[in-house]
Amino acid sequence: MKKLLLSLVAVSALAFGAQAQTEKGKILLGGGVGFNSTKIEGASKSDINFNILPSVGYFVSDNIAIGTGVGYDYDKQVSKGLLNQSFEVAPFGRYYVGLSDQFKFFGQLSVPMSFGNYKDVDDVTGDVGDKLGTSTKIGVQLAPGFAFYPTKRIGIEVSVDGLGYHNLALKDEATGVKSTSETFGLNASTVAPRLGVMFHF
């Protein structure tokens, strides 16, 4: 099976003021955007995932920020015959540790939640059919990362998914039957880290 994977994830943040970027009272504005496409052998269409998650945060004390992200996820899996579309909310807390004037380590604890519906997809043509049911996904994610500040106004951030737990509940539209699945794992791959650029004003 030939696979074509294109991944783009961008996270940006803005901190206002002339002092330290992670000082009490500062504001973080940012977001993430992602796109993946996988070519399926024998099918005329590819699996496609697109998501966008703008976020805002506030430093409640030096090096500690809390906030939330609100966004949308579109996940069309021709190979599994499903399309899932969902609204996402991801409250988070972030803690920074200064390693030097230009480098900071951070840990981010988030509670990603998504609420959506899933539909039937033809596994050959990729045509979308009837609504099959609704989906609810709630999780907890602990993600580490590093922030590099080449100047006072520009920062570059690299992070990985880290340790996570997710609970997925599906409700069948026709029968009303619910099914759940749980996943727990560590994803600290350095092959596909998330990269972000931050601008500080």
Side-chain angles (χ1 to χ4, degrees):
M1 176 191 280
K2 278 189 169 181
K3 290 184 180 180
L4 172 63
L5 176 63
L6 173 62
S7 203
L8 171 66
V9 178
V11 179
S12 61
L14 305 172
F16 299 93
Q19 301 177 8
Q21 296 93 337
T22 59
E23 187 179 63
K24 181 179 178 179
K26 302 303 178 188
I27 296 173
L28 286 173
L29 295 176
V33 100
F35 178 80
N36 293 306
S37 177
T38 305
K39 177 65 179 167
I40 307 302
E41 193 171 300
S44 61
K45 301 292 182 179
S46 301
D47 283 359
I48 293 174
N49 175 263
F50 168 77
N51 60 74
I52 184 166
L53 189 71
S55 61
V56 61
Y58 177 77
F59 281 93
V60 294
S61 66
D62 290 355
N63 298 317
I64 298 176
I66 60 171
T68 191
V70 178
Y72 169 76
D73 185 75
Y74 176 92
D75 189 17
K76 185 176 183 181
Q77 298 184 43
V78 177
S79 58
K80 295 182 179 179
L82 287 175
L83 165 65
N84 189 41
Q85 299 176 85
S86 58
F87 168 75
E88 297 187 346
V89 180
F92 68 86
R94 185 180 273 207
Y95 179 68
Y96 288 85
V97 176
L99 304 176
S100 71
D101 289 341
Q102 290 185 304
F103 288 94
K104 289 189 179 186
F105 170 81
F106 67 85
Q108 178 171 299
L109 179 65
S110 60
V111 183
M113 298 174 278
S114 65
F115 309 93
N117 61 67
Y118 58 101
K119 298 179 180 180
D120 183 44
V121 174
D122 187 287
D123 60 1
V124 176
T125 65
D127 293 337
V128 178
D130 297 331
K131 178 180 174 180
L132 299 176
T134 59
S135 63
T136 303
K137 188 175 183 180
I138 299 174
V140 178
Q141 193 82 35
L142 181 60
F146 285 94
F148 168 62
Y149 301 95
T151 72
K152 290 184 178 181
R153 296 195 178 275
I154 298 175
I156 299 170
E157 200 173 274
V158 177
S159 64
V160 295
D161 285 339
L163 189 63
Y165 165 81
H166 299 277
N167 178 289
L168 174 64
L170 302 175
K171 182 179 179 181
D172 188 275
E173 182 83 355
T175 65
V177 174
K178 291 183 180 180
S179 62
T180 62
S181 63
E182 297 180 340
T183 58
F184 176 80
L186 176 66
N187 184 358
S189 172
T190 57
V191 177
R194 289 196 300 268
L195 180 64
V197 177
M198 299 178 291
F199 302 95
H200 300 266
F201 298 96

